[in-house]
Amino acid sequence: MQPHPTPMAQFLDEFDASLLEGSVPLRVFNDPEILDGELERIFTRAWVFIGHESEIPARGDYVQRRIGRDPFVLVRSDDGEVRVLFDACRHRGAMVCRAERGNAALFRCPYHGWTYKNTGEFAGAPFFRAAYGSELDKSEWGLYAAPHTEILHGFVFASLDPDAPTLEEYLGDMKWYLDLLWGQCKDGWEVIGDPQRFVVEADWKSGADNFCGDDYHTFYLHRSTIEIGVMDGVKRGDSTENLQGYHVQAGNGHAISHFLVPPEVPGPRFWGYPPEVAERFTPDKLGQERYELAKHSIGSVGTVFPNFSFLAFPLRHSRKEGPVSTMVIRCFQPRGPAEMEIWAWVICPKGTPEEYRRKTYRTSMGTFSAGGTFEQDDSEPWIAQARTAGTAYGRKLGMELNYKMGLKGAASATRVDDFAGPGVAFYPVLEDGVHRGFHRRWVQFMREGGYPSAMTPEQQNASAGEARSNGDG
Ligand code: FES
Ligand code: FE
């Protein structure tokens, strides 16, 4: 006899089916049971962004980090390896790292004094012989480390699942776009300062979903920001000309919204980096074709499933100055039901002249930071979304949200089969397929069973809106 599906399994089946019709249940944006499932099934399995190598340049450098709500230490150990250590003492479980950042050869637990090398290995304990004699095998009592850590263009990712695929497999086609963003810089990238962290009373998915490519909100929610001239080259009024970009479902729940300037249009290239910065860019790692695409790129926003996002646009800090290329990266960290902590870093190509570094930092703080114009605009409706998701009446209604834009026959966006990059591309950006792909991957991770396999082209097509023409994928 078949066992009865659990209420959660049934909910996930219904959600998966409803996505093909462009619906997302409001409930997922504020629900303790769903959050518990996410922490257990997404954050202890998926590859997540931990930090950038430039935050820990020297041996012994460390920074405190989180995976889901769990504490970790990102450290460059004395052997030169970058490690992601679980910050939980093996004796009674207290945290051993008590500073946000620093340099240390050893981590000593404040409770009873058990001490670990910066490789995570057990180094010693008070009264060791008297307390444990020869009974304790030191090699077995080191800190736990993330079973997988990989670095891409200096960006450190980790997965807590021994069965996880390689980072490259996990990223799928998204790697092509991360290479496009970061591979052109011959000296690599670096963070400017510490990540800014701030709590928003909203679900973490509101941010991750938005950065998949919610261009639809840009010229409405951010109208006042745009009217004061922060974004350059925006057409006045309600012109859809501002939405002439590409949406790409890059597979496995990852997505990017990408804007190009036509080759004949003079002006910013390489996301607006000026010649004194762009002189460090080369086609060596990208190949000439992708390098040409980078040359003509003016804006990108995207999400690597589950909660790592990026944004690159030339933005203006003041009317007196020209636009400044702004590249920000961020994690939307779950903290509780309807509560997340946003971690936001500003990055720039290594070797960027000091004056431009200062400008890009200032522009980022003025736009995508706790006090930034865009950020404040965005946070409010995300908070409101979590609030309505928690309403008794919303629950009673089983309210569904509209993710129908771009479903076959429902919009002007059409599939572009000859787009320069891989994945399922649409033009223009008035379509929700990027969001549906994200939520479809979410459902796959939330299900019981083994590590979710890569999304098939059929599943991607279905999320892209082809479901009505060629059946379920
Ligand atoms: Fe860490 Fe006892 S809990 S030494
Ligand atoms: Fe926004």
Side-chain angles (χ1 to χ4, degrees), residues 104-413:
L106 299 165
F107 296 109
R108 179 165 292 126
C109 179
Y111 198 176
H112 310 86
W114 278 36
T115 303
Y116 305 88
K117 295 180 190 171
N118 61 20
T119 53
E121 292 159 288
F122 180 87
F127 317 117
F128 186 78
R129 286 221 170 281
Y132 300 104
S134 54
E135 286 305 296
L136 204 69
D137 179 354
K138 291 182 181 179
S139 69
E140 286 181 10
W141 290 96
L143 297 172
Y144 289 112
H148 299 291
T149 303
E150 286 193 44
I151 301 173
L152 180 69
H153 302 300
F155 297 76
V156 184
F157 291 83
S159 166
L160 300 181
D161 193 329
D163 295 331
T166 62
L167 177 63
E168 186 163 349
E169 285 172 62
Y170 177 87
L171 291 173
D173 289 337
M174 192 62 171
K175 181 171 180 297
W176 194 95
Y177 294 96
L178 298 184
D179 290 344
L180 172 72
L181 270 176
W182 298 319
Q184 86 278 25
C185 191
K186 71 175 161 49
D187 305 316
W189 293 78
E190 61 185 352
V191 298
I192 308 179
D194 290 318
Q196 201 184 54
R197 293 173 297 167
F198 46 98
V199 173
V200 178
E201 289 171 344
D203 187 78
W204 65 273
K205 293 187 294 304
S206 297
D209 169 311
N210 175 290
F211 272 69
C212 282
D214 190 328
D215 305 280
Y216 187 42
H217 81 291
T218 309
F219 299 94
Y220 194 77
L221 178 69
H222 300 305
R223 183 176 289 243
S224 59
T225 300
I226 287 163
E227 276 174 0
I228 58 170
V230 174
M231 254 183 145
D232 220 38
V234 176
K235 302 275 183 307
R236 293 276 152 191
D238 287 325
S239 174
T240 53
E241 276 181 61
N242 292 322
L243 298 163
Q244 306 301 305
Y246 295 86
H247 263 187
V248 182
Q249 270 197 58
N252 298 345
H254 318 306
I256 181 167
S257 173
H258 194 73
F259 291 82
L260 297 170
V261 285
E264 67 279 6
V265 173
R269 294 286 190 276
F270 293 117
W271 295 270
Y273 284 107
E276 70 264 30
V277 179
E279 70 186 14
R280 285 174 179 74
F281 298 166
T282 75
D284 295 354
K285 286 184 236 161
L286 294 184
Q288 198 58 44
E289 202 183 330
R290 210 170 353 166
Y291 185 68
E292 288 302 316
L293 189 70
K295 238 185 198 173
H296 298 127
S297 296
I298 194 64
S300 303
V301 187
T303 290
V304 174
F305 183 89
N307 68 332
F308 175 56
S309 298
F310 54 82
L311 176 140
F313 271 101
L315 299 171
R316 207 184 279 271
H317 180 73
S318 94
R319 282 182 192 272
K320 291 190 207 116
E321 289 173 22
V324 177
S325 191
T326 305
M327 177 93 74
V328 293
I329 56 172
R330 55 202 17 238
C331 281
F332 298 103
Q333 301 281 26
R335 259 175 74 103
E339 188 171 294
M340 67 166 148
E341 188 167 303
I342 299 182
W343 287 54
W345 293 255
V346 182
I347 62 169
C348 70
K350 247 185 211 159
T352 295
E354 191 51 37
E355 199 195 331
Y356 202 80
R357 272 170 67 94
R358 261 204 295 272
K359 274 190 191 173
T360 191
Y361 188 77
R362 199 180 54 177
T363 309
S364 305
M365 287 298 115
T367 51
F368 289 94
S369 76
T373 46
F374 281 101
E375 196 83 52
Q376 293 182 70
D377 292 345
D378 285 323
S379 304
E380 201 288 327
W382 296 346
I383 294 167
Q385 182 178 39
R387 251 183 228 157
T388 53
T391 54
Y393 192 48
R395 294 282 173 93
K396 184 176 161 131
L397 288 169
M399 189 165 152
E400 295 279 332
L401 305 177
N402 185 315
Y403 278 70
K404 292 183 188 295
M405 206 198 302
L407 279 176
K408 205 159 183 72
S412 60

